[in-house]
Amino acid sequence: MTGVRIRGLRKSFRSLTRRTHVLQGVDLDVEPGQVVGLIGPNGAGKTTLMSCLLGFLHADSGEVSIDGRPADDIDVRRRIGFVPERMNFGRRATSQAFLRYMARLSKADVARVEALLSKLDVAHGARKRLSEHSRGMLQRVGMAQALLGEPDYLFLDEPASGLDPNGVLLVRDLILEQKERGRAVLLNSHQLSEVEKVCDRVYFLDRGVIGREETLRHDTTIPIAITLLDGQTVELDVGSEEEIAAVVGRMVGEGARIIEVRRRTADLEGMFRSGR
Amino acid sequence: MSVVILETLRRHFTSGAYLVFVAFLVLVAVGSTFLSGQPGQWRSFVALLTLIAGAQLIGPEFSSGTLQLILSKPINRSVYLLSRWAGVVLAIWCAVGLALVADWMALVARGAPIPWRRMGEGAFGLSWSAMLVCAVLAFFGSFLRSYFNVGLYLVLQAVLGMALAAIDEIRPDMPGIIGASARFFDAYPAMGSAIAALTRNLFPDVPRAVAVDWVLLIASNTAVLLLLACLLFRRREVPYGAD
C-alpha cells in the first residue's frame, strides 16, 4: 500500500456561457494508517475532489493515483470503500437485500452482511425497506456497504450527517478502528469537532486550492502550550509525557508562574473564520 | 454480470407498477381472446411496457445517485450497462410470456383451435423488437439524465415519421418554405433516403410473420447501439453531488 496521491489536480466545468474552475492545482496525500480530513466551505470543491478520486470525474490535468494506479482501475476499486453523503438506492429493497447486492458487486463475502448489520446496530431493521429507514439508519447502512469488501482505502463524505450521538460515536470508533488496521481514510466533513477527534492531518480547501495543511497528531512529538500568569504562552514540542513533566518542573524551578499546560491542537474553527 | 441482471429482475418483480401492468396485460389477454377468439390483442400494451421499463435503464439511477454508489464498486461500466439492458429485456420477455400463456388459456377455455405459429411469431416479434427499443433507450441513457432517454426516443420517432410523410407529400411548386423544402429534397435525394434508413433501422415495424432479414436487422442494430452506448458510458462523468 503506497497510499493516495494527488498532484496538481485541476478540474473545471463548462457550461454554454462560461467555464468554472473548481479545482485549481490540488496536492494531497493520504498514507496507510492515516486519517486525513478535508474541510472547507460549501462550493470549495471538496465533492469534486472526492469525485475525481473515485474516478467519477475526469481531471483536466494532474495526477490522481491510489496505490500508484489510476483511480478508476477495477483492481483499485476492489480495495476502496465509499460512503456518500446521501445514500440513494432503490427504496423498495430491504437493507439486508441491498447489502447483499453490494457484497456481490464488491466480490465480498455475503456472510459479512449480518456481521456488519450487527456492528453498525441496524440488525433490527435488516428486513425493513430502505424507504422506512431514518436518515441516520441510512447512513449506517451506507457505512456498512463501504466496509463490506474490507477496503484498504475508505472515502467518507459526511459520514456522521444525520446521526444521533450514539451513531456519531460509532462512526468515530469505526474510523479509528480502520486507522489501527493500517487503512487510509479520507474524511470530508463539516463537523470540525469530529475532524479534530479522528484526523491526523487536515487539508483546508477553499475555492479550489488547498489553503492550508495542518498536522493534528504527530507520531513522534507532542505539541504543548504553557500559559504563564502574565499572559505569555510558550509553545514547544516534546517527545513524551515524562518530558512535559520535566519541562514544567524546570520552568517552575526557574521561577516561571505557570497557570495552564495543554496539548496544542489546530484551531480548525479559526481556519474557517480566517478563510485560510 | 448475473448479479446485476438478477437485481434488475428483482426490482421489476417487486415493483407495484410492473406487477399491475403485467396483471393488466394478462387480463386483456384473457378477456379479449376469450371473447373474440383472436389472440394477441395485448401487443400494443407491450410496446408501452417496453418504453416504461427501458426508460429506467440508466438515467434515473444517474440522477438519484444510485449509479455513483454502484460505480464505486469493482464493476466494469460496460458490463453494468449490458447487464441492466439484459435484465430489462428479460423482464419484458417475462411479461410477454405470461400474456402468451393467458392467450392460450383463454383459447382452451373457449374451446377454440390454437394458432400456435401465429401466436409464437407474434410473441417472438414483440420480444425481439423489445431488444432494439431497449438498446436505443440504453444508448440515449448513456449520455442523458433522468427519463430524457424516452423523451428523445419519442420525439425522434415522431419527427422522423412526420419528415418521411412530409417528403412524400410536398411538391416543389408549393409556396414558401414548403416548396423550398421539396426542392431541397429533390436536389439532395440522399437526405430523404437517410431519414428513411434511420427510421427503418431505429424504429422498424414488427411484422406479423417473422422474417430472417428482420431478425438479423434487429440483432445487428441492437449490437451496434449497445456498443456505442458502452463507448459513451465508459467515458461519462458521474458527479455524485453538488459542492
Side-chain angles (χ1 to χ4, degrees):
Chain A
M1 272 175 78
T2 57
V4 175
R5 182 183 151 94
I6 298 178
R7 288 290 177 274
L9 177 64
R10 289 177 181 275
K11 177 67 189 171
S12 58
F13 294 103
R14 217 177 304 173
S15 68
L16 285 175
T17 51
R18 68 192 184 118
R19 190 184 184 102
T20 311
H21 297 277
V22 179
L23 298 175
Q24 306 181 61
V26 172
D27 295 340
L28 181 146
D29 290 287
V30 189
E31 284 154 29
Q34 253 190 3
V35 182
V36 170
L38 186 62
I39 62 172
N42 291 331
K46 302 187 298 295
T47 303
T48 301
L49 178 61
M50 204 76 123
S51 294
C52 289
L53 203 47
L54 288 156
F56 298 160
L57 296 176
H58 311 301
D60 296 343
S61 63
E63 178 200 336
V64 180
S65 68
I66 298 172
D67 246 359
R69 307 176 80 156
D72 56 1
D73 186 288
I74 291 281
D75 287 331
V76 166
R77 291 213 175 169
R78 213 162 270 147
R79 300 172 56 202
I80 67 170
F82 162 55
V83 180
E85 185 181 358
R86 281 179 191 274
M87 244 275 300
N88 288 306
F89 195 78
R91 293 301 186 90
R92 282 192 304 273
T94 63
S95 46
Q96 189 181 47
F98 162 71
L99 287 174
R100 284 183 176 167
Y101 178 48
M102 288 291 128
R104 288 186 189 107
L105 283 181
S106 307
K107 317 272 190 295
D109 184 1
V110 178
R112 270 182 63 75
V113 168
E114 312 304 326
L116 278 167
L117 281 168
S118 298
K119 189 170 188 173
L120 283 146
D121 200 19
V122 274
H124 58 283
R127 291 177 192 281
K128 269 190 184 173
R129 290 179 171 198
L130 291 174
S131 57
E132 294 164 7
H133 283 332
S134 65
R135 173 99 195 269
M137 290 276 277
L138 279 176
Q139 281 301 100
R140 287 170 193 238
V141 174
M143 194 79 188
Q145 64 78 28
L147 294 172
L148 278 166
E150 299 192 79
D152 292 329
Y153 298 92
L154 204 52
F155 301 125
L156 313 174
D157 193 2
E158 297 286 358
S161 166
L163 290 178
D164 59 18
N166 279 336
V168 172
L169 289 173
L170 187 69
V171 168
R172 189 192 302 164
D173 289 346
L174 277 169
I175 293 173
L176 293 173
E177 183 189 314
Q178 299 304 310
K179 180 189 164 177
E180 274 172 27
R181 290 184 178 188
R183 285 152 186 177
V185 181
L186 180 63
L187 170 66
N188 175 13
S189 179
H190 283 305
Q191 297 187 346
L192 300 182
S193 59
E194 280 310 302
V195 171
E196 273 181 9
K197 284 186 178 102
V198 298
C199 290
D200 300 300
R201 208 144 39 81
V202 170
Y203 288 92
F204 181 71
L205 186 69
D206 191 16
R207 280 166 280 186
V209 291
I210 298 288
R212 193 164 154 187
E213 178 189 343
E214 193 76 40
T215 301
L216 303 185
R217 274 173 195 75
H218 301 259
D219 292 337
T220 51
T221 59
I222 305 171
I224 59 167
I226 301 171
T227 309
L228 305 175
L229 184 62
D230 60 6
Q232 263 192 313
T233 301
V234 180
E235 292 188 349
L236 50 130
D237 296 337
V238 294
S240 63
E241 287 177 342
E242 285 77 17
E243 202 180 327
I244 297 175
V247 167
V248 170
R250 197 165 55 241
M251 286 176 73
V252 170
E254 287 169 0
R257 301 171 77 185
I258 296 171
I259 58 167
E260 186 189 39
V261 179
R262 62 182 169 82
R263 281 177 191 251
R264 236 165 55 227
T265 54
D267 179 14
L268 297 183
E269 272 186 27
M271 274 167 79
F272 246 97
R273 285 211 181 95
S274 65
R276 296 193 306 128
Chain B
M1 188 164 184
S2 61
V3 176
V4 180
I5 294 175
L6 288 174
E7 171 64 17
T8 306
L9 283 172
R10 187 198 64 77
R11 275 192 229 171
H12 278 91
F13 296 157
T14 56
S15 153
Y18 176 83
L19 294 176
V20 166
F21 205 106
V22 170
F24 171 73
L25 215 57
V26 168
L27 279 176
V28 169
V30 170
S32 63
T33 307
F34 185 76
L35 292 174
S36 69
Q38 294 296 315
Q41 307 284 321
W42 41 269
R43 284 181 198 158
S44 53
F45 295 113
V46 173
L48 185 61
L49 175 67
T50 306
L51 282 181
I52 293 169
Q56 296 169 33
L57 260 162
I58 289 292
E61 280 197 340
F62 176 92
S63 299
S64 69
T66 303
L67 185 62
Q68 291 77 347
L69 192 59
I70 287 165
L71 294 183
S72 72
K73 305 293 177 197
I75 182 163
N76 183 299
R77 286 189 182 202
S78 300
V79 170
Y80 182 71
L81 181 69
L82 293 175
S83 306
R84 288 280 297 150
W85 170 83
V88 169
V89 168
L90 282 175
I92 294 164
W93 287 3
C94 287
V96 171
L98 284 172
L100 194 65
V101 170
D103 257 355
W104 169 75
M105 284 168 62
L107 287 171
V108 169
R110 193 184 153 94
I114 298 168
W116 287 110
R117 189 182 169 86
R118 189 155 65 89
M119 280 171 64
E121 282 193 357
F124 175 78
L126 267 181
S127 305
W128 202 248
S129 70
M131 292 197 322
L132 178 61
V133 176
C134 288
V136 176
L137 292 170
F139 172 63
F140 291 155
S142 67
F143 59 88
L144 292 172
R145 286 166 178 258
S146 192
Y147 294 98
F148 288 121
N149 60 344
V150 78
L152 182 59
Y153 180 95
L154 293 172
V155 167
L156 193 63
Q157 190 177 29
V159 167
L160 288 174
M162 284 192 291
L164 268 184
I167 290 170
D168 281 347
E169 295 298 323
I170 58 178
R171 300 280 172 266
D173 54 354
M174 287 177 167
I177 194 167
I178 299 173
S181 302
R183 287 192 289 279
F184 173 81
F185 282 113
D186 279 353
Y188 303 100
M191 291 299 292
S193 306
I195 292 173
L198 205 56
T199 309
R200 206 169 46 243
N201 281 282
L202 289 182
F203 312 108
D205 293 328
V206 181
R208 286 199 175 277
V210 174
V212 175
D213 286 357
W214 180 83
V215 170
L216 293 177
L217 174 87
I218 298 288
S220 58
N221 290 356
T222 299
V224 169
L225 282 164
L226 287 177
L227 180 67
L228 290 173
C230 288
L231 288 174
L232 287 175
F233 190 57
R234 281 173 72 89
R235 290 296 304 162
R236 183 178 188 176
E237 293 200 321
V238 284
Y240 73 90
D243 275 314

